[in-house]
Amino acid sequence: MTEMTVTMAVIAIVTIAANAGVAAADFARAKFVLANVADVGVPLSWLPALALLKAAGAAGLLLGLLGVPVIGLMAACGLVLFFVGAIVAHVRARAYAKIAFPIAFLALAVASVFSFL
């Protein structure tokens, strides 16, 4: 395994952990999640679907690492689209204080796309 391959696998693993963790927080309706949803103006009824999308992205990345790279690539692309939408929602709501989080998740997702190219 080359140094670059190891680096990209680590990026994908960090992306999996981050998205699985935040999906679990969404499902558990953690206080910080509820505060963020309120700040951004996202209906609380959307929270389970948003959590499911993050969890599916993490699962798809894991499948990609386990030998189905096309699924990993599609999951990474899906997460890119998801977090672009999250950034748009933050900008529309002028919730700039917390915009660093979706930007960080977007950066991980973009880096993960390159793991599967």
Side-chain angles (χ1 to χ4, degrees), residues 2 32 41 82 93 96 103 116:
T2 68
F32 76 92
F82 181 93
Y96 302 116
I103 289 172
F116 295 102

Side-chain angles (χ1 to χ4, degrees), residues 4-54:
M4 184 56 106
T5 305
V6 170
T7 301
M8 297 315 278
V10 168
I11 289 169
I13 290 166
V14 169
T15 306
I16 291 165
N19 280 282
V22 79
D26 288 354
F27 283 125
R29 294 180 178 252
K31 285 184 180 184
F32 76 92
V33 170
L34 297 177
N36 191 53
V37 167
D39 289 347
V40 177
V42 172
L44 196 56
S45 63
W46 290 15
L47 195 54
L50 296 174
L52 188 60
L53 289 170
K54 293 172 199 171

